[in-house]
Every structure is written in structure tokens, then in C-alpha cells.
Amino acid sequence: MQKSKTLKAISMKQLFNPFNKIAGAKALIFGAIISIFTLTVSLYSHSAFDGVLDFHKAPYITIWPYLSFYLISWLCLVFYFGLAGILLTRTKFRWLDLLGTTLFSRSPLLIAALLCFAIPFIDQQQIKDISKIHFSVSFFIASGLSLLCIIWTIALYYNCYRVCLNIKGTKAIWSFILVMILAEATSLIMIRSLHF
Amino acid sequence: MEKRLPNLCPSCNAPLYVEVLHCKQCHTKVTGDYPLPNIMLLPPEDLKFILAFIKTSGSIKLMAEKMSLSYPTVRNILDDIIAKIENLESYFHEATI
């Protein structure tokens, strides 16, 4: 009984912080494989990860918008994590760890992309008269679960930030919030400047 | 039972000094006031880590494989030990001034 409880606690910890065990090239390879699956599903479920923390249903029919949004969001995060590493810590972090762990942190987005099959696309015209739209139960369940996936992704981002840069305590929390705001703003500006 | 070197004062937590050294062969005793090397003031788990680190020729990558941990986690352990040694150095530096 005690053993199963301990195992459960360990697996829960691994779910939110696998970076004590996995980082660097290994995380990059696993992250890349999961990202390929995520982008393939995105193309069919029309789920665009258009920002570090954003997830929307999109009308695009080619892979390029989904791929470019995904890459911009990821690289913005890596850039600001690295900048925080240079400015805030004395630790000799590796860019490979940042690239790998941040990409691996985006793994829950595969579930969000799958859930997007249950979310309909709503265009600007429909939004003007939102009362006319019929939202199914599956829409609310899928939306709620995708929100949980985004929260899970943020928890993974925080843990990879903490582990890769060796930042602890309140410094880790406030600097992470600042880094996320900057990465989100930069990714949004870059994504909005693209025209598909 | 493995004996642990008592390196900190149980009363005030300050580093302890060696007053008596004893030869097991001829039972000669040397008394004095010898400070322990900074490295000996670290907790046993840190000493174990340092020993293993030296045995891997100072390779974080090999240490990570040996400990089944990721590279940044091992580097963080090393960073923490470095910080502890630096704190001890500054403590003794201030104590001598």
C-alpha cells in the first residue's frame, strides 16, 4: 500500500518534472518526434499554437502556418530562457538543454491538438452573433481539457526553466513570469506579422 | 554502522577544529589547533558526489549516466557544492580578519 503510494507520487512528479531524468539531446529527439505527431494532428484538426501560451482553431489547409507558429513560439521561449540564464544565473547552462527541454515541454499540446477535433471553427461573422451558435457538450469538455493541457505545458515550462538554469525560490517565480510575458508578446508580434 | 565525522558544533553549528591526533600504531598523541579542510566540512552525500566526480575524471555527462539523472540536474548539484565551498571560504576568511 505504502509502496504503491510512493510509486504514484514519483510518477506524478515525473509527469510535471521529468527534467531531473531527461534533458539535452534525448529531450530534443523525443520532443521532435512528439512535435511531428502534434503538427500532423494540427493539420487535420486545424489547431494552431499561435503563441507561447496560445491555442486556437484555425482555417488553414496547409502545414506551413501550423509549423511556423509552432517554431516561432518554441524559439521565442528558448531565446528568453537563454537570456534569463545569461543575465540572472552564474550557472553554465547549455543551449542544447534549453532547446530539448522546452520542445519536450510542449508534448501535452499533442492532446490539445487531438481535442481540437471536437471544437468547431468560429469565424468573425459568427462571433458577432454568438447567441446563434449551438455549442455541444463535447465542445465544453474539449475546451476544458485543452485548457488543462495548456496548464500542464506551463508547469513543464517552469520546471525546465528551473532545472536548466538552476534558479530557485521567489527569483525563479518572478523571473519566469517576466520571461513568459516577454516570450508571449514577442511570439504574438512575430506571428501577427506573417500572412497566410 | 558508518561513523560520520562530526564537523559542525552541535551547539552553535560553527565548524569544529581538530585538537588531538592519535597514532593507532604507537599511540602517540599530537595536540594542537588544526582546522579541517573546507571540503571535509561538507555533508557526507556531497563528499560522496565529489569522490564519484573525480573518479569520472570530472565528466558531468558520465556522472549523469552513473546517477541516472539528467545533465543539468548533476550540474546543479555541482553548482550547489561550489556555492557551499565558497560560503565556507568566505566564512573562514572573515573569521581570520
Side-chain angles (χ1 to χ4, degrees), chain A residues 19-21 23 90-94 163-164 166 168, chain B residues 67-73 75-76 79-80 82 86:
Chain A
F19 309 114
N20 283 332
K21 302 269 177 198
R90 283 171 58 199
T91 194
K92 288 184 184 81
F93 71 90
R94 297 188 308 176
V163 172
C164 289
N166 197 17
K168 291 173 189 135
Chain B
M67 296 172 79
S68 306
L69 292 172
S70 69
Y71 182 99
T73 308
R75 196 209 47 228
N76 293 349
D79 282 350
D80 293 344
I82 293 168
E86 282 174 351

Side-chain angles (χ1 to χ4, degrees), chain A residues 93-193:
Chain A
F93 71 90
R94 297 188 308 176
W95 284 94
L96 179 67
D97 288 323
L98 288 182
L99 284 164
T101 53
T102 46
L103 192 62
F104 191 73
S105 295
R106 294 174 73 82
S107 302
L109 299 182
L110 173 60
I111 304 168
L114 285 165
L115 288 165
C116 206
F117 280 111
I119 300 170
F121 177 69
I122 302 162
D123 61 25
Q124 293 297 319
Q125 282 294 320
Q126 286 172 297
I127 284 176
K128 280 178 188 163
D129 200 359
I130 205 154
S131 58
K132 280 186 181 170
I133 307 168
H134 171 71
F135 292 108
S136 62
V137 177
S138 61
F139 164 81
F140 288 109
I141 294 169
S143 302
L145 289 175
S146 15
L147 183 68
L148 287 178
C149 289
I150 300 287
I151 293 167
W152 183 11
T153 309
I154 297 168
L156 287 169
Y157 283 158
Y158 175 68
N159 282 319
C160 82
Y161 176 78
R162 214 171 40 82
V163 172
C164 289
L165 303 180
N166 197 17
I167 303 183
K168 291 173 189 135
T170 46
K171 190 182 174 186
I173 298 167
W174 69 254
S175 63
F176 176 74
I177 294 168
L178 189 71
V179 161
M180 288 306 286
I181 293 168
L182 288 169
E184 170 73 0
T186 311
S187 66
L188 284 180
I189 292 166
M190 288 175 83
I191 287 167
R192 296 275 155 87
S193 67

Side-chain angles (χ1 to χ4, degrees), chain A residues 1-10:
Chain A
M1 188 75 179
Q2 190 67 34
K3 204 176 175 185
S4 71
K5 263 187 183 175
T6 317
L7 283 172
K8 219 175 182 178
I10 291 168

Side-chain angles (χ1 to χ4, degrees), chain B residues 46-91:
Chain B
D46 289 349
L47 289 175
K48 255 185 204 168
F49 178 89
I50 292 168
L51 212 63
F53 188 59
I54 292 165
K55 281 181 182 172
T56 57
S57 309
S59 164
I60 299 177
K61 210 172 172 182
L62 280 177
M63 277 296 283
E65 274 173 31
K66 220 173 166 182
M67 296 172 79
S68 306
L69 292 172
S70 69
Y71 182 99
T73 308
V74 175
R75 196 209 47 228
N76 293 349
I77 297 171
L78 189 63
D79 282 350
D80 293 344
I81 294 173
I82 293 168
K84 280 179 196 171
I85 292 172
E86 282 174 351
N87 283 342
L88 283 167
E89 280 173 349
S90 62
Y91 174 86

Side-chain angles (χ1 to χ4, degrees), chain A residues 5-77:
Chain A
K5 263 187 183 175
T6 317
L7 283 172
K8 219 175 182 178
I10 291 168
S11 57
M12 274 304 278
K13 201 182 163 195
Q14 287 298 310
L15 214 57
F16 288 97
N17 186 17
F19 309 114
N20 283 332
K21 302 269 177 198
I22 183 170
K26 216 185 209 179
L28 190 64
I29 292 164
F30 283 128
I33 293 166
I34 296 166
S35 295
I36 291 167
F37 280 117
T38 308
L39 286 166
T40 311
V41 175
S42 282
L43 179 64
Y44 293 103
S45 67
H46 300 286
S47 47
F49 301 101
D50 46 355
V52 171
L53 303 169
D54 296 73
F55 165 58
H56 296 106
K57 189 90 179 179
Y60 311 113
I61 48 162
T62 62
I63 189 75
W64 305 113
Y66 302 105
L67 179 68
S68 51
F69 297 164
Y70 198 92
L71 287 177
I72 288 169
S73 308
W74 170 48
L75 293 173
C76 278
L77 201 65

